[in-house]
Amino acid sequence: MSGPVENAPLLSVRGLTLTLKGTGVNLVSNVSFDLQRGQVLGVVGESGCGKSVTALSMLRIAHPSIVPSAGEVLFQGEDILKANAHRMRQVRGGEIAMIFQEPMTSLNPVFTVGDQIVEALRAHQSIGRKAARTAAIEMLYHVGIPSPAQRIDVFPHQMSGGMRQRAMIAMALACKPKLLIADEPTTALDVTIQAQIIELLRRLGREFGMAMIIVTHDLGVVADIADDVLIMYAGRVIERCSAADLFRRPRHPYTEGLLRSVPPLDADVERLPTIPGTVPLPHAMPIGCRFADRCPDVRAPCRTLDPPLIRVGSGHLTACIREIDYRAGCGGLK
Ligand SMILES: Nc1ncnc2c1ncn2[C@@H]1O[C@H](COP(=O)(O)OP(=O)(O)OP(=O)(O)O)[C@@H](O)[C@H]1O
Ligand SMILES: [Mg+2]
Protein backbone atom coordinates (compact mmCIF):
# COMPACT_ATOMS: atom_id res chain seq x y z
CA MET A 1 0.00 0.00 0.00
CA SER A 2 1.27 3.45 -0.71
CA GLY A 3 -0.09 6.96 -0.82
CA PRO A 4 0.30 10.23 0.99
CA VAL A 5 -0.48 8.77 4.42
CA GLU A 6 2.02 5.92 4.03
CA ASN A 7 4.72 8.36 3.00
CA ALA A 8 3.91 10.84 5.73
CA PRO A 9 6.29 10.96 8.68
CA LEU A 10 5.39 8.86 11.70
CA LEU A 11 5.78 11.91 13.91
CA SER A 12 5.76 15.52 12.89
CA VAL A 13 6.34 18.12 15.58
CA ARG A 14 5.45 21.59 14.34
CA GLY A 15 6.33 24.77 16.21
CA LEU A 16 5.97 23.23 19.66
CA THR A 17 6.19 25.92 22.33
CA LEU A 18 5.96 25.11 26.03
CA THR A 19 5.05 27.79 28.50
CA LEU A 20 5.17 27.89 32.26
CA LYS A 21 1.56 28.36 33.25
CA GLY A 22 0.62 31.78 34.57
CA THR A 23 4.02 33.31 33.81
CA GLY A 24 4.25 33.68 30.04
CA VAL A 25 7.79 32.25 30.31
CA ASN A 26 8.61 29.84 27.49
CA LEU A 27 10.68 26.84 28.47
CA VAL A 28 10.82 25.64 24.88
CA SER A 29 10.09 27.65 21.72
CA ASN A 30 9.13 26.64 18.24
CA VAL A 31 10.52 23.11 18.10
CA SER A 32 9.89 21.40 14.76
CA PHE A 33 11.08 18.13 13.32
CA ASP A 34 9.87 15.08 11.42
CA LEU A 35 10.60 11.48 12.26
CA GLN A 36 10.09 8.74 9.70
CA ARG A 37 9.07 5.19 10.59
CA GLY A 38 11.99 3.15 11.93
CA GLN A 39 14.32 6.16 12.14
CA VAL A 40 16.31 7.22 15.19
CA LEU A 41 16.50 10.86 16.24
CA GLY A 42 19.08 11.96 18.81
CA VAL A 43 18.24 15.02 20.91
CA VAL A 44 21.35 16.62 22.37
CA GLY A 45 22.09 19.65 24.52
CA GLU A 46 23.41 20.62 27.92
CA SER A 47 21.42 20.43 31.10
CA GLY A 48 18.41 22.72 31.18
CA CYS A 49 18.08 23.15 27.39
CA GLY A 50 14.57 21.69 27.31
CA LYS A 51 15.13 18.14 26.13
CA SER A 52 13.07 16.43 28.81
CA VAL A 53 10.16 18.85 28.85
CA THR A 54 9.93 18.47 25.07
CA ALA A 55 10.00 14.67 25.27
CA LEU A 56 7.50 14.51 28.14
CA SER A 57 5.15 17.01 26.52
CA MET A 58 4.91 14.89 23.39
CA LEU A 59 3.23 12.27 25.57
CA ARG A 60 1.49 14.92 27.68
CA ILE A 61 3.16 13.74 30.86
CA ALA A 62 5.15 16.89 31.64
CA HIS A 63 4.45 18.64 34.95
CA PRO A 64 0.96 20.22 34.81
CA SER A 65 2.49 23.69 35.14
CA ILE A 66 4.10 23.23 31.70
CA VAL A 67 1.56 23.76 28.93
CA PRO A 68 1.87 23.65 25.15
CA SER A 69 0.99 27.20 24.12
CA ALA A 70 1.56 26.71 20.39
CA GLY A 71 2.31 24.01 17.90
CA GLU A 72 1.25 20.49 17.02
CA VAL A 73 2.49 16.99 17.71
CA LEU A 74 1.20 15.00 14.77
CA PHE A 75 1.50 11.26 15.32
CA GLN A 76 0.43 9.44 12.17
CA GLY A 77 -1.34 12.64 11.23
CA GLU A 78 -3.27 12.98 14.51
CA ASP A 79 -2.52 15.96 16.74
CA ILE A 80 -2.03 14.24 20.06
CA LEU A 81 -1.96 17.54 21.90
CA LYS A 82 -5.69 17.62 21.17
CA ALA A 83 -6.49 13.97 21.90
CA ASN A 84 -8.83 13.22 24.80
CA ALA A 85 -7.74 11.35 27.93
CA HIS A 86 -9.06 7.99 26.67
CA ARG A 87 -7.14 8.29 23.40
CA MET A 88 -3.99 9.36 25.24
CA ARG A 89 -4.12 6.22 27.37
CA GLN A 90 -4.17 4.16 24.17
CA VAL A 91 -1.27 6.11 22.71
CA ARG A 92 0.90 6.03 25.84
CA GLY A 93 2.51 2.66 26.26
CA GLY A 94 0.61 1.31 23.27
CA GLU A 95 1.69 3.23 20.17
CA ILE A 96 4.33 5.39 21.84
CA ALA A 97 6.36 4.16 24.80
CA MET A 98 8.82 6.03 26.96
CA ILE A 99 11.79 4.98 29.05
CA PHE A 100 13.70 7.07 31.54
CA GLN A 101 17.15 7.43 33.02
CA GLU A 102 16.07 5.84 36.26
CA PRO A 103 14.21 2.54 35.74
CA MET A 104 12.49 2.88 39.11
CA THR A 105 10.52 5.81 37.64
CA SER A 106 8.70 3.24 35.49
CA LEU A 107 8.97 0.08 37.53
CA ASN A 108 6.84 -0.27 40.62
CA PRO A 109 8.91 -1.68 43.51
CA VAL A 110 6.03 -3.67 45.03
CA PHE A 111 5.19 -5.80 41.99
CA THR A 112 7.31 -8.39 40.25
CA VAL A 113 8.80 -7.51 36.91
CA GLY A 114 6.59 -10.13 35.26
CA ASP A 115 3.38 -8.79 36.77
CA GLN A 116 4.23 -5.34 35.48
CA ILE A 117 4.89 -6.50 31.93
CA VAL A 118 1.71 -8.59 32.01
CA GLU A 119 -0.25 -5.52 33.17
CA ALA A 120 1.29 -3.37 30.43
CA LEU A 121 0.29 -5.97 27.84
CA ARG A 122 -3.22 -6.39 29.16
CA ALA A 123 -3.80 -2.64 29.35
CA HIS A 124 -3.42 -2.41 25.58
CA GLN A 125 -4.34 -5.79 24.15
CA SER A 126 -7.11 -8.26 24.75
CA ILE A 127 -4.89 -11.07 25.83
CA GLY A 128 -5.37 -13.69 28.57
CA ARG A 129 -3.16 -13.73 31.67
CA LYS A 130 -1.38 -16.93 30.64
CA ALA A 131 -0.64 -15.77 27.11
CA ALA A 132 0.52 -12.41 28.50
CA ARG A 133 2.91 -14.21 30.85
CA THR A 134 4.36 -16.19 27.94
CA ALA A 135 4.71 -12.97 25.94
CA ALA A 136 6.40 -11.30 28.93
CA ILE A 137 8.95 -14.12 29.19
CA GLU A 138 9.61 -13.79 25.48
CA MET A 139 10.10 -10.05 25.88
CA LEU A 140 12.56 -10.54 28.77
CA TYR A 141 14.43 -12.96 26.55
CA HIS A 142 14.46 -10.37 23.73
CA VAL A 143 16.07 -7.75 25.95
CA GLY A 144 18.80 -10.17 27.00
CA ILE A 145 17.72 -11.12 30.51
CA PRO A 146 19.16 -14.56 31.27
CA SER A 147 16.78 -17.31 32.48
CA PRO A 148 13.72 -15.18 31.78
CA ALA A 149 11.29 -17.87 32.95
CA GLN A 150 12.78 -17.57 36.45
CA ARG A 151 13.61 -13.84 36.43
CA ILE A 152 10.04 -12.94 35.56
CA ASP A 153 9.07 -13.48 39.21
CA VAL A 154 11.69 -11.25 40.83
CA PHE A 155 11.09 -7.77 42.18
CA PRO A 156 12.88 -4.83 40.55
CA HIS A 157 15.19 -4.29 43.55
CA GLN A 158 16.46 -7.85 43.17
CA MET A 159 17.98 -6.93 39.81
CA SER A 160 21.21 -5.06 39.00
CA GLY A 161 20.90 -1.56 37.49
CA GLY A 162 21.62 -2.82 33.98
CA MET A 163 19.09 -5.67 34.30
CA ARG A 164 16.47 -3.26 35.65
CA GLN A 165 17.05 -1.05 32.63
CA ARG A 166 16.52 -4.08 30.41
CA ALA A 167 13.33 -4.96 32.32
CA MET A 168 12.05 -1.40 31.85
CA ILE A 169 12.79 -1.65 28.12
CA ALA A 170 10.95 -5.00 28.02
CA MET A 171 7.93 -3.38 29.63
CA ALA A 172 8.07 -0.37 27.31
CA LEU A 173 8.31 -2.57 24.25
CA ALA A 174 5.77 -5.18 25.34
CA CYS A 175 3.07 -3.67 23.13
CA LYS A 176 5.41 -3.21 20.16
CA PRO A 177 5.12 0.57 20.01
CA LYS A 178 5.82 2.39 16.76
CA LEU A 179 7.82 5.00 18.61
CA LEU A 180 10.03 4.77 21.68
CA ILE A 181 11.06 7.95 23.47
CA ALA A 182 14.11 7.35 25.65
CA ASP A 183 15.20 10.16 27.98
CA GLU A 184 18.85 9.56 28.87
CA PRO A 185 18.35 5.79 29.00
CA THR A 186 21.96 5.04 29.83
CA THR A 187 23.21 7.99 31.87
CA ALA A 188 22.89 6.24 35.24
CA LEU A 189 24.73 3.13 34.08
CA ASP A 190 28.43 2.38 33.91
CA VAL A 191 30.13 2.66 30.55
CA THR A 192 30.15 -0.99 29.46
CA ILE A 193 26.51 -1.45 30.43
CA GLN A 194 25.66 1.80 28.59
CA ALA A 195 27.12 0.39 25.39
CA GLN A 196 25.16 -2.84 25.82
CA ILE A 197 21.87 -0.99 26.33
CA ILE A 198 22.46 1.19 23.28
CA GLU A 199 23.27 -1.89 21.23
CA LEU A 200 20.10 -3.52 22.58
CA LEU A 201 17.97 -0.51 21.60
CA ARG A 202 19.50 -0.46 18.16
CA ARG A 203 18.77 -4.16 17.66
CA LEU A 204 15.21 -3.91 18.97
CA GLY A 205 14.55 -0.82 16.85
CA ARG A 206 15.53 -2.79 13.78
CA GLU A 207 13.69 -5.97 14.78
CA PHE A 208 10.44 -4.17 15.56
CA GLY A 209 10.75 -1.48 12.87
CA MET A 210 10.37 1.00 15.71
CA ALA A 211 11.31 4.67 15.50
CA MET A 212 13.16 6.16 18.46
CA ILE A 213 13.85 9.54 19.97
CA ILE A 214 16.89 9.30 22.20
CA VAL A 215 17.62 12.21 24.50
CA THR A 216 21.25 12.21 25.49
CA HIS A 217 24.22 14.31 26.61
CA ASP A 218 26.45 11.84 24.91
CA LEU A 219 27.52 12.42 21.32
CA GLY A 220 28.96 8.90 21.31
CA VAL A 221 25.40 7.59 21.67
CA VAL A 222 24.36 9.75 18.71
CA ALA A 223 27.22 8.38 16.62
CA ASP A 224 26.25 4.82 17.54
CA ILE A 225 22.53 4.90 16.97
CA ALA A 226 21.02 8.09 15.50
CA ASP A 227 20.09 8.79 11.90
CA ASP A 228 19.29 12.44 12.57
CA VAL A 229 19.98 14.83 15.37
CA LEU A 230 18.43 17.88 17.00
CA ILE A 231 20.79 20.11 18.93
CA MET A 232 18.91 22.12 21.53
CA TYR A 233 20.17 25.21 23.27
CA ALA A 234 18.26 27.32 25.79
CA GLY A 235 14.85 25.99 24.77
CA ARG A 236 15.43 26.16 21.01
CA VAL A 237 16.57 23.87 18.26
CA ILE A 238 19.77 25.52 17.03
CA GLU A 239 20.85 22.80 14.61
CA ARG A 240 19.09 19.92 12.91
CA CYS A 241 20.88 17.56 10.57
CA SER A 242 21.83 13.98 9.83
CA ALA A 243 24.14 12.34 12.38
CA ALA A 244 26.72 12.01 9.60
CA ASP A 245 26.64 15.78 8.94
CA LEU A 246 26.84 16.50 12.64
CA PHE A 247 30.29 14.95 12.86
CA ARG A 248 31.42 15.86 9.34
CA ARG A 249 30.23 19.41 9.14
CA PRO A 250 28.67 20.99 12.23
CA ARG A 251 27.46 24.51 11.45
CA HIS A 252 26.60 26.10 14.79
CA PRO A 253 29.34 27.28 17.16
CA TYR A 254 27.47 25.57 20.02
CA THR A 255 27.52 22.26 18.19
CA GLU A 256 31.20 22.76 17.45
CA GLY A 257 31.74 23.37 21.16
CA LEU A 258 29.89 20.18 22.09
CA LEU A 259 31.98 18.19 19.63
CA ARG A 260 35.21 19.71 20.91
CA SER A 261 34.35 18.81 24.46
CA VAL A 262 33.81 15.09 23.82
CA PRO A 263 36.38 13.48 26.10
CA PRO A 264 38.98 11.25 24.46
CA LEU A 265 38.36 7.54 24.91
CA ASP A 266 41.11 7.09 27.47
CA ALA A 267 40.07 10.05 29.64
CA ASP A 268 38.36 9.57 32.96
CA VAL A 269 34.65 9.50 32.29
CA GLU A 270 33.51 13.07 32.13
CA ARG A 271 29.96 13.08 31.00
CA LEU A 272 29.17 16.75 30.73
CA PRO A 273 30.68 18.78 27.96
CA THR A 274 32.54 21.84 29.15
CA ILE A 275 31.89 24.97 27.16
CA PRO A 276 32.77 27.97 29.36
CA GLY A 277 29.74 29.73 30.82
CA THR A 278 26.22 28.48 31.45
CA VAL A 279 22.90 28.14 29.66
CA PRO A 280 20.70 31.24 30.26
CA LEU A 281 17.59 30.60 32.34
CA PRO A 282 14.13 30.62 30.73
CA HIS A 283 13.00 33.80 32.50
CA ALA A 284 16.20 35.68 31.68
CA MET A 285 16.86 35.01 28.00
CA PRO A 286 19.09 37.57 26.25
CA ILE A 287 17.57 39.59 23.40
CA GLY A 288 19.84 38.48 20.55
CA CYS A 289 21.33 35.04 20.04
CA ARG A 290 20.96 32.99 23.20
CA PHE A 291 24.45 31.57 22.76
CA ALA A 292 26.18 34.94 22.19
CA ASP A 293 27.67 35.22 25.70
CA ARG A 294 29.46 31.90 25.29
CA CYS A 295 30.20 31.99 21.59
CA PRO A 296 33.86 32.05 20.50
CA ASP A 297 32.77 33.63 17.20
CA VAL A 298 30.37 36.28 18.54
CA ARG A 299 29.80 39.37 16.34
CA ALA A 300 28.12 42.69 17.12
CA PRO A 301 24.72 41.85 15.50
CA CYS A 302 24.50 38.66 17.57
CA ARG A 303 23.61 40.85 20.56
CA THR A 304 20.46 42.14 18.89
CA LEU A 305 19.45 39.66 16.20
CA ASP A 306 17.92 36.39 17.27
CA PRO A 307 18.87 34.20 14.30
CA PRO A 308 16.13 32.02 12.80
CA LEU A 309 16.71 28.40 11.86
CA ILE A 310 17.69 28.43 8.18
CA ARG A 311 18.49 25.73 5.69
CA VAL A 312 22.23 25.45 5.04
CA GLY A 313 22.30 22.18 3.14
CA SER A 314 20.13 19.24 2.25
CA GLY A 315 18.29 18.32 5.44
CA HIS A 316 20.61 20.60 7.42
CA LEU A 317 19.31 23.61 9.35
CA THR A 318 21.07 25.93 11.72
CA ALA A 319 20.35 29.14 13.62
CA CYS A 320 23.51 31.21 13.43
CA ILE A 321 24.18 34.66 12.08
CA ARG A 322 27.31 33.39 10.31
CA GLU A 323 25.03 31.52 7.94
CA ILE A 324 22.61 34.42 7.53
CA ASP A 325 25.49 36.71 6.58
CA TYR A 326 26.31 34.56 3.63
CA ARG A 327 23.03 32.96 2.77
CA ALA A 328 20.20 35.39 3.34
CA GLY A 329 18.91 36.31 -0.06
CA CYS A 330 19.71 32.85 -1.40
CA GLY A 331 16.41 31.69 0.03
CA GLY A 332 16.03 28.92 2.54
CA LEU A 333 14.56 30.92 5.40
CA LYS A 334 12.75 28.37 7.49
N1 LIG B 1 8.14 21.79 36.48
C1 LIG B 1 8.91 22.81 36.10
N2 LIG B 1 8.66 24.06 36.54
C2 LIG B 1 9.42 25.08 36.15
N3 LIG B 1 10.48 24.99 35.33
C3 LIG B 1 10.79 23.78 34.87
C4 LIG B 1 10.04 22.62 35.23
N4 LIG B 1 10.59 21.53 34.62
C5 LIG B 1 11.64 22.00 33.91
N5 LIG B 1 11.76 23.34 34.06
C6 LIG B 1 12.77 24.21 33.43
O1 LIG B 1 12.69 24.01 32.03
C7 LIG B 1 13.98 24.07 31.44
C8 LIG B 1 14.21 22.80 30.63
O2 LIG B 1 14.28 21.69 31.54
P1 LIG B 1 14.51 20.20 31.05
O3 LIG B 1 14.34 19.33 32.23
O4 LIG B 1 13.69 19.94 29.86
O5 LIG B 1 16.06 20.23 30.62
P2 LIG B 1 16.94 19.06 30.03
O6 LIG B 1 17.47 19.55 28.73
O7 LIG B 1 16.18 17.79 30.03
O8 LIG B 1 18.13 18.99 31.09
P3 LIG B 1 18.92 17.71 31.68
O9 LIG B 1 19.97 17.41 30.67
O10 LIG B 1 19.50 18.22 32.96
O11 LIG B 1 17.95 16.59 31.89
C9 LIG B 1 14.97 24.26 32.57
O12 LIG B 1 15.28 25.63 32.65
C10 LIG B 1 14.19 23.80 33.78
O13 LIG B 1 14.62 24.48 34.94
MG1 LIG C 1 16.38 15.99 31.04
Side-chain angles (χ1 to χ4, degrees):
M1 213 171 82
S2 66
V5 173
E6 284 297 298
N7 297 330
L10 177 70
L11 180 76
S12 186
V13 174
R14 300 265 140 255
L16 181 64
T17 299
L18 303 171
T19 305
L20 209 49
K21 218 178 195 164
T23 67
V25 170
N26 289 342
L27 298 182
V28 164
S29 306
N30 200 22
V31 168
S32 297
F33 63 89
D34 284 349
L35 182 64
Q36 303 294 335
R37 283 159 212 280
Q39 294 278 294
V40 181
L41 176 75
V43 180
V44 179
E46 291 163 293
S47 197
C49 284
K51 305 178 300 294
S52 292
V53 292
T54 303
L56 294 167
S57 297
M58 287 191 272
L59 273 179
R60 309 215 343 236
I61 52 174
H63 190 274
S65 64
I66 300 168
V67 289
S69 52
E72 297 175 319
V73 175
L74 301 169
F75 179 67
Q76 302 183 111
E78 173 189 5
D79 186 359
I80 54 177
L81 294 183
K82 297 204 176 84
N84 64 26
H86 171 71
R87 175 71 188 125
M88 273 325 285
R89 277 195 298 275
Q90 289 176 335
V91 170
R92 269 185 227 121
E95 290 153 68
I96 308 179
M98 184 150 182
I99 59 174
F100 302 90
Q101 177 176 339
E102 176 40 67
M104 292 313 277
T105 331
S106 309
L107 295 170
N108 188 327
V110 304
F111 294 105
T112 65
V113 166
D115 282 344
Q116 295 182 62
I117 300 176
V118 165
E119 276 317 303
L121 279 164
R122 283 166 58 87
H124 295 279
Q125 295 171 18
S126 49
I127 178 173
R129 191 157 278 282
K130 206 156 166 232
R133 187 176 161 90
T134 308
I137 292 172
E138 201 175 297
M139 207 58 228
L140 290 174
Y141 170 78
H142 258 306
V143 299
I145 292 188
S147 320
Q150 282 84 51
R151 294 289 186 93
I152 190 169
D153 292 318
V154 306
F155 290 90
H157 68 85
Q158 295 172 302
M159 291 182 142
S160 68
M163 284 298 147
R164 264 205 296 270
Q165 200 69 345
R166 286 173 192 266
M168 176 171 67
I169 293 170
M171 189 166 85
L173 302 194
C175 295
K176 310 257 183 333
K178 295 183 179 124
L179 170 63
L180 176 71
I181 302 175
D183 191 355
E184 311 240 14
T186 61
T187 309
L189 303 170
D190 74 50
V191 181
T192 37
I193 310 286
Q194 279 184 17
Q196 290 169 11
I197 297 288
I198 291 299
E199 178 48 34
L200 171 68
L201 288 174
R202 185 162 56 178
R203 175 169 65 76
L204 294 172
R206 271 202 302 261
E207 272 173 30
F208 297 162
M210 177 178 68
M212 290 188 264
I213 296 176
I214 300 202
V215 172
T216 180
H217 283 104
D218 187 342
L219 288 167
V221 169
V222 171
D224 281 345
I225 199 170
D227 298 296
D228 291 319
V229 60
L230 281 190
I231 307 287
M232 291 192 71
Y233 186 74
R236 301 268 185 83
V237 174
I238 55 91
E239 186 149 14
R240 201 172 98 194
C241 59
S242 67
D245 271 357
L246 175 81
F247 294 102
R248 205 166 39 208
R249 194 150 189 228
R251 301 296 276 264
H252 197 287
Y254 178 60
T255 315
E256 291 168 354
L258 289 179
L259 285 163
R260 263 198 305 274
S261 47
V262 173
L265 275 178
D266 55 358
D268 267 358
V269 181
E270 197 201 324
R271 188 171 64 84
L272 284 176
T274 44
I275 300 170
T278 51
V279 183
L281 295 172
H283 59 273
M285 286 298 169
I287 293 164
C289 173
R290 294 176 174 193
F291 187 59
D293 276 347
R294 303 173 72 191
C295 183
D297 198 12
V298 63
R299 298 152 193 212
C302 303
R303 303 287 180 185
T304 48
L305 181 85
D306 188 5
L309 201 54
I310 63 163
R311 192 172 300 280
V312 292
S314 166
H316 198 152
L317 304 164
T318 196
C320 177
I321 204 163
R322 292 193 304 204
E323 302 294 340
I324 297 173
D325 279 344
Y326 306 118
R327 299 191 180 257
C330 309
L333 263 186
K334 177 78 181 157

